[in-house]
């Protein structure tokens, strides 16, 4: 084994020295890259799994060779992520982004962002995006990566599989419920959706906690972001149900508008800044510096970032509700303070990750990750300007500005991040060299143009509605085209690994490599 060096691809090591699988499994390989193993080098594996490359080399060299190849058997824990990612793509391309684009077109044609009759469709879209797009990707990624990061195996993979069906059925029921409420069938569907989604998320959190307990690895500081995100995941699911039933039981249109005004903002903040931003911050700190070789942060600011994220969210939610209920200026001050704190954590996080320094290693996903953080900064700079914009344009609640901020965050930051991380991780899991795949430049360009167009034009609808409305109606379809392009490519990569797994049952591994 002396000829193995740090630059040797894992697939080559496993092909020539099958006994190395035992060592690599101990450090978290477990089915990653399938039968053949990932195309990445030993050095990359060591970096990402937090092992010293020299130690790993020594362990592999010391491992006793096996006379016959170690039989490779994949379990559901090895490929469970695929069904979550595929369902996430299916959701985003139907009731998610596509429906959002259709809603936006209707808004553009009627030149009004405040159409009450569109509220059920927009809320159904928002639900599909948070639970189906973000939720399914987070769950799939967590089931796949968390055990490997913790050098252990997933607790109860079959239960994890059940959460997939619970979540998907729950999302479908909720979409029907949003459209049918306040009719009785809508309320029944809402109740079913609530039970299924809460069960799915509750079980998901329990499975990850049990998996963490199985690990003998010491607790890592980034994990507090992950667990806080999961706590917010549960909180938002409960609040989302409260929101649904509050809307469905409103006695009049005025009461409906009042309830939406009170609950919608806090719910969206908890979903986006609690659940989604927190998981991205946690995964980013674990993943980005090591994958792209950005070096260690000069000053580790994990703890202040963590507390700023949580406290600014709680302050923002409380201040918003109290402002609306009392009308007192003091609480407006609290809201503005929370916005400034949110901008602060975003700046600290970007500096901590070093995403604007030169990466030691890059591939097609890097541009998505870096652009996602540019969009995070844009969105967070917009937040403290929200009240200023309202005063300047004489609006009590500047809906166009808030909508533009939200889109900068949900598509610019969140969606680009999902696209980037998936474009990096899925080929590794499939055992395919990402440098041989599409560069994804077109989806990247289209989604950025669509997103920039939406953010700028939605604000411009306040000033030049005749020009801005028709143009903003097109931006959604640019984004949908981008996500479709990326989604088809990702789906193909996942299918390629599936096909190879099926072939591996019949073909000896040596033939597969040649
Ligand atoms: C990709 C293309 C997308 C399009 C065309 C789109 C379209 C829309 C439209 C037209 C609205 C109403 C805007 C307003 O009233 O200001 C909206 C709201 C919303 N969207 Fe999207 N969206 C997209 C992506 C996303 C993503 C990726 C997420 C989540 C990660 C998301 C979550 C939301 C949320 C939370 C709302 C607010 C709903 C509310 O008012 O309570 N959207 N979207």
């Amino acid at each position: 084994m002396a000829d193995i060096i740090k630059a040797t691809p894992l697939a080559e090591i496993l092909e020539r020295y099958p006994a190395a699988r035992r060592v690599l499994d101990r450090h978290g390989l477990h089915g990653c890259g399938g039968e053949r193993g990932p195309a990445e080098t030993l050095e990359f594996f060591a970096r990402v799994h937090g092992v010293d490359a020299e130690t790993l080399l020594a362990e592999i060299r010391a491992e006793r060779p096996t006379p016959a190849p170690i039989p490779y058997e994949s379990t559901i824990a090895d490929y469970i992520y695929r069904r979550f990612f595929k369902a996430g793509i299916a959701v985003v391309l139907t009731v998610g982004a596509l429906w959002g684009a259709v809603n936006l077109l209707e808004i553009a044609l009627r030149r009004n962002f405040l159409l009450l009759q569109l509220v059920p469709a927009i809320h159904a879209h928002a639900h599909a995006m948070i639970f189906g797009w973000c939720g399914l990707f987070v769950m799939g990624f967590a089931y796949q990566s968390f055990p490997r990061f913790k050098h252990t195996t997933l607790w109860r993979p079959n239960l994890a599989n059940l959460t997939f069906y619970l979540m998907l059925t729950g999302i479908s029921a909720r979409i029907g419920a949003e459209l049918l409420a306040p009719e009785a069938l809508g309320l029944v569907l809402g109740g079913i959706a609530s039970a299924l989604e809460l069960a799915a998320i509750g079980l998901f959190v329990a499975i990850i906690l049990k998996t963490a307990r199985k690990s003998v690895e010491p607790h890592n500081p980034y994990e507090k972001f992950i667990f806080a995100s999961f706590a917010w995941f549960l909180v938002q699911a409960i609040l989302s149900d409260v929101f649904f039933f509050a809307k469905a039981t409103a006695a009049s249109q005025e009461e409906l508008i009042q309830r939406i005004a009170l609950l919608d903002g806090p719910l969206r903040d908890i979903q986006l800044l609690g659940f989604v931003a927190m998981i991205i911050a946690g995964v980013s700190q674990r993943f980005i510096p090591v994958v792209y070789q950005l070096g260690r942060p000069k000053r580790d600011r994990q703890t202040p970032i963590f507390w700023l994220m949580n406290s600014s969210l709680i302050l923002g939610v409380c201040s918003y509700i109290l402002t609306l209920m009392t009308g007192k200026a003091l609480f407006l001050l609290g809201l503005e303070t929370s916005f400034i704190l949110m901008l602060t954590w975003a700046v600290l996080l970007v500096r901590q990750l070093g995403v604007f320094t030169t990466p030691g290693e890059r591939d097609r996903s890097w541009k998505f990750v870096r652009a996602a953080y540019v969009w995070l900064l844009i969105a967070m700079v917009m937040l403290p300007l929200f009240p200023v914009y309202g005063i300047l344009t004489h609006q009590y609640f500047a809906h166009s500005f808030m909508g533009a901020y939200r889109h900068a965050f949900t598509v610019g930051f969140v969606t680009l991040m999902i696209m980037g991380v998936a474009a990096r991780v899925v080929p590794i899991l499939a055992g395919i060299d990402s440098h041989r795949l599409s560069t994804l430049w077109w989806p990247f360009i289209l989604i950025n143009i669509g997103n920039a167009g939406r953010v700028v034009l939605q604000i411009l609808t306040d000033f030049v509605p005749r020009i801005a409305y028709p143009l903003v109606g097109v931006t959604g379809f640019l984004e949908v085209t981008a996500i479709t392009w990326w989604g088809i490519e990702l789906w193909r990569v996942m299918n390629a690994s599936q096909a190879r797994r099926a072939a591996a049952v019949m073909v000896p591994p040596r033939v597969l490599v040649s």
Side-chain angles (χ1 to χ4, degrees):
M1 293 196 198
D3 50 344
I4 296 177
I5 56 169
K6 285 192 266 182
T8 312
L10 291 189
E12 192 183 319
I13 297 175
L14 289 170
E15 205 255 328
R16 285 162 51 197
Y17 306 107
R21 187 177 284 281
R22 277 197 294 264
V23 179
L24 295 169
D25 274 353
R26 272 205 307 271
H27 292 288
L29 184 69
H30 294 302
C32 218
E35 168 85 14
R36 252 174 69 183
E40 276 62 29
T41 63
L42 182 105
E43 195 274 330
F44 179 88
F45 175 85
R47 213 168 354 114
V48 172
H49 288 262
V51 198
D52 176 54
E54 291 295 346
T55 314
L56 188 60
L57 257 180
E59 281 183 37
I60 291 175
R61 285 178 182 149
E63 189 69 17
R64 215 161 32 86
T66 18
I70 300 173
Y72 172 81
E73 259 180 68
S74 61
T75 67
I76 187 156
D78 298 327
Y79 53 82
I80 191 168
Y81 76 93
R82 270 206 302 259
R83 60 196 57 182
F84 280 89
F85 285 13
K86 284 184 173 179
I89 294 172
V91 167
V92 80
L93 293 180
T94 51
V95 286
L98 181 62
W99 203 2
V102 172
N103 290 334
L104 188 59
L105 186 65
E106 189 163 350
I107 287 168
L109 293 174
R110 296 180 184 225
R111 294 191 185 172
N112 189 355
F113 264 100
L114 295 166
L115 294 167
L116 204 56
Q117 68 267 36
L118 265 190
V119 167
I122 287 176
H123 286 179
H125 149 82
H127 191 84
M129 282 308 214
I130 302 291
F131 285 69
W133 177 232
C134 305
L136 289 174
F137 264 89
V138 165
M139 290 168 81
F141 187 78
Y143 286 148
Q144 169 67 31
S145 301
F146 190 74
R148 286 165 177 83
F149 284 164
K150 297 289 291 175
H151 298 191
T152 182
T153 49
L154 185 65
W155 186 77
R156 301 270 188 106
N158 287 333
L159 204 55
N161 196 32
L162 175 69
T163 63
F164 171 74
Y165 296 101
L166 291 174
M167 192 71 169
L168 212 56
T169 323
I171 294 167
S172 315
R174 177 63 179 268
I175 288 168
E178 289 283 354
L179 298 180
L180 293 172
E183 282 173 28
L185 180 59
L187 291 176
V188 172
L189 281 176
I192 294 172
S194 164
L196 294 177
E197 288 174 346
L198 285 175
I201 298 171
L203 281 173
F204 163 72
V205 176
I207 291 165
I208 295 296
L209 285 174
K210 287 278 191 184
T211 303
R213 283 241 185 103
K214 273 172 49 172
S215 168
V216 289
E217 282 285 295
H219 185 76
N220 196 305
Y222 78 89
E223 285 169 28
K224 59 178 170 288
F225 289 85
I226 311 278
F227 292 118
S229 162
F230 294 164
W232 287 118
F233 195 14
L234 259 177
V235 170
Q236 68 82 32
I238 297 166
L239 196 57
S240 169
D241 294 330
V242 171
F243 185 45
F244 171 78
F245 285 106
K247 285 185 298 178
T249 55
S252 64
Q253 206 175 77
E254 284 69 44
E255 196 170 53
L256 174 68
I257 294 171
Q258 270 173 11
R259 288 181 177 185
I260 292 177
L262 185 69
L263 293 174
D264 186 76
L267 170 65
R268 302 308 176 203
D269 284 349
I270 289 173
Q271 290 178 325
L272 297 171
L273 300 164
F275 163 46
V276 184
M278 201 79 69
I279 192 80
I280 295 181
V283 171
S284 288
Q285 291 175 79
R286 173 66 179 81
F287 182 84
I288 292 176
V290 287
V291 167
Y292 302 103
Q293 266 194 312
L294 294 172
R296 282 180 177 279
K298 286 196 193 70
R299 276 184 62 187
D300 194 332
R301 295 193 174 95
Q302 283 200 351
T303 304
I305 294 170
F306 177 77
W307 288 113
L308 272 173
M309 286 183 87
N310 285 289
S311 58
S312 61
L313 175 58
I314 294 168
L315 179 66
V317 166
C318 294
S319 304
Y320 176 86
I321 292 175
L322 289 169
T323 306
L324 230 69
M325 288 173 73
T326 65
K328 287 200 175 145
L330 173 71
F331 298 120
L332 259 184
L333 209 66
L335 195 60
E336 184 62 9
T337 309
S338 75
F339 292 158
I340 292 168
L341 294 179
M342 287 167 190
L343 172 60
T344 312
W345 72 245
V347 172
L348 290 179
L349 181 63
V350 165
R351 294 195 54 164
Q352 164 93 349
L353 294 170
V355 274
F356 298 120
T357 58
T358 311
E361 196 170 315
R362 65 169 85 195
D363 77 336
R364 64 196 191 138
S365 61
W366 170 243
K367 54 184 172 293
F368 287 90
V369 170
R370 192 179 251 183
Y373 275 100
V374 172
W375 279 113
L376 173 70
L377 290 179
I378 292 173
M380 294 324 228
V381 166
M382 286 175 80
L383 260 187
L385 297 177
F386 172 63
V388 182
Y389 181 87
I391 293 168
L392 292 179
T393 55
H394 310 292
Q395 298 181 73
Y396 181 66
F397 185 90
H399 183 96
S400 61
F401 193 90
M402 184 44 82
Y405 143 75
R406 211 169 260 159
H407 204 74
F409 192 93
T410 55
V411 173
F413 178 49
V414 177
T415 300
L416 259 79
M417 200 62 162
I418 293 178
M419 291 170 83
V421 171
R424 184 70 190 100
V425 167
V426 169
I428 299 178
L429 302 179
I432 294 170
D433 183 357
S434 69
H435 294 95
R436 286 160 56 188
L437 296 170
S438 148
T439 58
L440 298 175
W441 266 108
W442 277 111
F444 177 75
I445 292 168
L446 284 174
I447 198 146
N448 278 291
I449 294 177
N451 190 39
R454 164 74 181 273
V455 172
V456 173
L457 290 164
Q458 186 159 358
I459 295 173
L460 284 182
T461 56
D462 280 345
F463 304 98
V464 279
R466 285 159 68 93
I467 300 172
Y469 269 115
L471 291 175
V472 81
V474 180
T475 60
F477 294 101
L478 293 179
E479 293 168 333
V480 172
T481 310
I483 298 172
T484 309
W485 197 315
W486 162 90
I488 290 173
E489 209 266 351
L490 201 72
W491 197 290
R492 279 197 188 140
V493 175
M494 287 190 272
N495 277 359
S497 70
Q498 219 165 344
R500 225 177 38 197
R501 200 164 54 85
V505 175
M506 296 168 287
V507 187
R510 193 162 287 277
V511 177
L512 280 170
V513 175
S514 57

